[in-house]
Amino acid sequence: MTSPMPTPPYPTPPPPGPPYPAPPGAWLRSPAALGRATAVLLGLVIATDLFACLADLLELDVTGDIADGAGGTGVVDRADRADALYAVAGVSQMVALVATTVVYLCWLWRVRVNAEVFDASRHRMRRGWTIGGWFCPVVNLWFPRRIVADSWDASAPWGARSGHTAVNAWWTLWLVSLLAGRYAYTTSRNAETAAELREAARVMLFSDAIDIAAAVLAIVVVVRLTGMQERKVFSGELPAPVLG
């Protein structure tokens, strides 16, 4: 007669769940509203940059005439108008940038938390760097890009390979715009002669044009990443369980 199987001294462990569970305090929330607001404000940044390009062209034109020896009340009036437009453009850009930065960081925090729920293993940086990485010197040259790229990978469809072409293009132009803007500011601040002012206006025009391109690619990244997360949030999908 076959003896009955012995009862195990401890209960059988439950089957494993999804890999890399989200950290405490992470839960899914739709990023759609913040994504739309961010895209709209980035559009406002583009509009102010276009306005600044117009001011740059006027400044470039009048300083060129002055450098070539033109004079008279007509040139002085043009220079005054160009300087006034230049100042208004600078204030407009600053206001648009501050408003966009606030909303963009709210959006980025939302998508980062969602991405941790999707797959916490994708993230190489702690959550606090999502905000702090933009303001900490030196590391702000690559930490924000890594945060976005990791969130992009975690938000991609399960099993799909996610490329970083859009993210890399946006970040490259953003860095070029940042460096060009600082150089343009320094050049403009130190300019004294008409020729130097003309050169400063030329550099500023390049900076504003690059900023427009960077803002366009930022919109692409925001829209695509928001869309990927929206599909995952409402699909209810979970990663495949770990096979024992």
Side-chain angles (χ1 to χ4, degrees), residues 3-180:
S3 60
M5 294 291 292
T7 303
Y10 49 84
T12 304
Y20 313 110
W27 62 89
L28 290 177
R29 296 180 64 186
S30 171
L34 283 172
R36 285 192 295 269
T38 303
V40 168
L41 286 171
L42 284 167
L44 179 61
V45 168
I46 293 172
T48 58
D49 283 341
L50 287 171
F51 179 50
C53 285
L54 174 61
D56 296 335
L57 289 172
L58 293 176
E59 186 80 8
L60 191 61
D61 182 57
V62 70
T63 53
D65 288 346
I66 295 173
D68 292 338
T73 56
V75 173
V76 172
D77 290 341
R78 286 170 54 207
D80 289 341
R81 286 195 298 270
D83 289 343
L85 198 63
Y86 217 59
V88 172
V91 172
S92 300
Q93 286 177 300
M94 182 59 64
V95 171
L97 179 61
V98 170
T100 304
T101 298
V102 172
V103 178
Y104 175 85
L105 290 178
C106 292
W107 168 82
L108 186 58
W109 183 269
R110 175 72 53 81
V111 298
R112 168 57 194 259
V113 172
N114 284 348
E116 290 180 10
V117 177
F118 295 144
D119 189 349
S121 71
R122 294 284 190 173
H123 304 283
R124 293 167 285 180
M125 314 295 301
R126 292 185 180 274
R127 192 189 300 175
W129 285 113
T130 305
I131 307 298
W134 289 91
F135 301 100
C136 187
V138 182
V139 300
N140 60 2
L141 297 178
W142 75 89
F143 273 26
R145 181 260 167 205
R146 180 173 291 182
I147 294 288
V148 174
D150 290 347
S151 298
W152 188 281
D153 289 339
S155 303
W158 305 121
R161 298 184 61 184
S162 57
H164 296 151
T165 302
V167 175
N168 292 337
W170 155 68
W171 190 246
T172 299
L173 285 181
W174 164 253
L175 291 180
V176 173
S177 171
L178 187 67
L179 296 175

Side-chain angles (χ1 to χ4, degrees), residues 205-226:
L205 177 62
F206 172 77
S207 172
D208 291 331
I210 291 295
D211 197 58
I212 290 172
V216 169
L217 287 177
I219 292 175
V220 172
V221 171
V222 168
V223 170
R224 290 185 59 184
L225 183 49
T226 300

